Amino acid sequence: MNQILDYNPNKNSGGGTPKSDKIVRIFAIILAIFAICLLIGGAYGIYKNKKESNTVAEAPTEAKISTELLENEVLIKVSHDKAIEKLIYNWDSDKETTLKGDGKSSMESKIPVIAGNHTLTVKVTDINGVETFYTEEITSENGEDKIKPRIDLKVIEGPKIQIIATDETAIDFITYRWNDEEEQKVEVSEENGKEIICEIDILKGQNDLVVIAVDKNNNTTHENGSFTGVTEPKVSIVIASDKKSAEVTCTHENGLKEVKVIINGEESLAEINEEENKTVTFTIGDINEENTTIKIIATSVDDTQKEVEETIQQDAPAIEIKIEETENPEEALATINSVAEIKEIQLNINGEDYTVDDFAPNNTTIEGIPLVQGENIIKIKVIDINDGEKEEVKEITR
């Protein structure tokens, strides 16, 4: 009876021990972890491949754009691997024009050409918003003239305003008006159909100038300016009849600030009376050089300036006499040159007169003029056929 109650069927069955069960559990966990790693790695590989595939598929491509110049038009050609949303073009950074696409991957459009040399810019946008740009310089003798004339205003000596109006094709005329005065018109000349240049006096005081330029296609440009009219000083140089002096007069309605005098490069300033500075007068004397250049630069209190230059050339003497010593200490030599023929030569040596009969009509030499020991005074007087005369005195010490 007790044996039946103590019966245990697992006691001697040879089944696994608690230790073996623990090993099985650990092995199962390792397999599970390995399987999870494989799943994660596979999932990451799939995600990566999908991402790379999407990146390649989404890389943008640009349209191909070209142009062809026709007689009065430009043909724009566009091809793409995607549908074209729109095409935008403009000339020389001017107003843009937009042309819509029709859902196709290619597009052609003719646009008016502009006469002259101009830059065409084209921008193409596809359905994905990707933009392609194209720029080309196009030169055509035909086409529309949409460019306005250009006006340049320049203050020049006078004082004056120089107006320069130009157009890339053909200018027609310009008009200008001071303040509220009557408008003046200047037509283009036949010699240069693309440019008009004219000079106008600036009125005294503050004045407003309006200039309008119109080309042959009625394109119009306006230019306004405000200018203050001032006057230059007046300078006069009057050379004396004997060319030995010059009288200088400088004047300005508002007064003179400085008068610069330059004689053969040597500079000085004329004296100006501050209370009477509207007129400055002075004399330049002792002009003896063969060529004398006088330059006067007068500056007004308005900072306007006037420069006047005169060159004085002395007349060559009608008769030239040169007395000099020779290698022989007992003799001197005289050389005479005359524009007119020589009528008479008078020679005086130490107070004694000598007759000179043998001489050439215009150029002659007197040789062998005797010299004594000590001081020698030689006088020669020449008279030409016009009764012009010249005397030369030379002192020679022997």
Side-chain angles (χ1 to χ4, degrees), residues 170-186:
I171 195 80
D172 193 9
F173 64 89
I174 66 169
T175 63
Y176 67 88
R177 183 184 73 248
W178 283 112
N179 305 319
D180 296 325
E181 293 186 0
E182 184 179 352
E183 192 173 64
Q184 304 296 321
K185 185 176 182 179
V186 181

Side-chain angles (χ1 to χ4, degrees), residues 66-192:
S66 63
T67 62
E68 181 182 347
L69 178 61
L70 306 178
E71 184 175 356
N72 294 306
E73 297 174 309
V74 174
L75 175 62
I76 303 175
K77 300 178 181 180
V78 183
S79 61
H80 204 354
D81 57 2
K82 298 179 181 65
I84 298 169
E85 178 70 21
K86 60 184 176 180
L87 181 153
I88 300 174
Y89 74 89
N90 69 293
W91 290 100
D92 300 324
S93 301
D94 204 354
K95 181 181 177 181
E96 292 183 341
T97 301
T98 301
L99 304 175
K100 290 290 185 180
D102 57 2
K104 298 180 181 180
S105 61
S106 63
M107 182 177 181
E108 290 189 359
S109 180
K110 293 180 180 179
I111 63 172
V113 69
I114 299 179
N117 190 342
H118 302 280
T119 301
L120 173 65
T121 301
V122 180
K123 180 174 72 173
V124 173
T125 305
D126 64 23
I127 57 173
N128 294 329
V130 178
E131 297 178 340
T132 305
F133 292 89
Y134 177 85
T135 301
E136 182 180 0
E137 284 194 8
I138 297 178
T139 302
S140 175
E141 296 182 356
N142 303 317
E144 299 180 359
D145 178 12
K146 292 186 176 181
I147 307 301
K148 293 182 179 181
R150 174 177 173 175
I151 300 174
D152 292 309
L153 304 179
K154 182 180 179 182
V155 179
I156 61 174
E157 186 178 0
K160 296 176 179 288
I161 294 291
Q162 185 183 64
I163 304 174
I164 304 175
T166 56
D167 189 74
E168 86 289 355
T169 54
I171 195 80
D172 193 9
F173 64 89
I174 66 169
T175 63
Y176 67 88
R177 183 184 73 248
W178 283 112
N179 305 319
D180 296 325
E181 293 186 0
E182 184 179 352
E183 192 173 64
Q184 304 296 321
K185 185 176 182 179
V186 181
E187 302 280 355
V188 68
S189 65
E190 296 180 358
E191 291 77 13
N192 188 354

Side-chain angles (χ1 to χ4, degrees), residues 287-341:
I287 300 175
N288 297 315
E289 296 185 29
E290 183 176 343
N291 292 314
T292 301
T293 299
I294 300 174
K295 181 187 291 185
I296 306 297
I297 304 174
T299 305
S300 72
V301 294
D302 297 330
D303 287 326
T304 57
Q305 196 172 81
K306 182 68 175 181
E307 179 178 318
V308 175
E309 182 177 307
E310 290 283 351
T311 299
I312 303 173
Q313 293 182 343
Q314 301 290 354
D315 295 332
I319 302 172
E320 289 184 323
I321 304 171
K322 186 176 183 182
I323 304 170
E324 56 189 341
E325 300 178 52
T326 65
E327 295 180 356
N328 185 351
E330 296 181 354
E331 294 181 352
L333 174 72
T335 304
I336 301 171
N337 295 304
S338 177
V339 175
E341 289 188 13

Side-chain angles (χ1 to χ4, degrees), residues 158 204 230-237 247-256 258-259 277-282 296-300 304-308:
K204 292 183 180 180
V230 291
T231 59
E232 295 179 339
K234 295 180 180 179
V235 178
S236 71
I237 304 174
E247 189 78 14
V248 179
T249 302
C250 304
T251 61
H252 190 269
E253 58 188 13
N254 294 328
L256 293 162
E258 180 185 83
V259 176
N277 64 349
K278 292 184 179 181
T279 301
V280 175
T281 302
F282 55 92
I296 306 297
I297 304 174
T299 305
S300 72
T304 57
Q305 196 172 81
K306 182 68 175 181
E307 179 178 318
V308 175

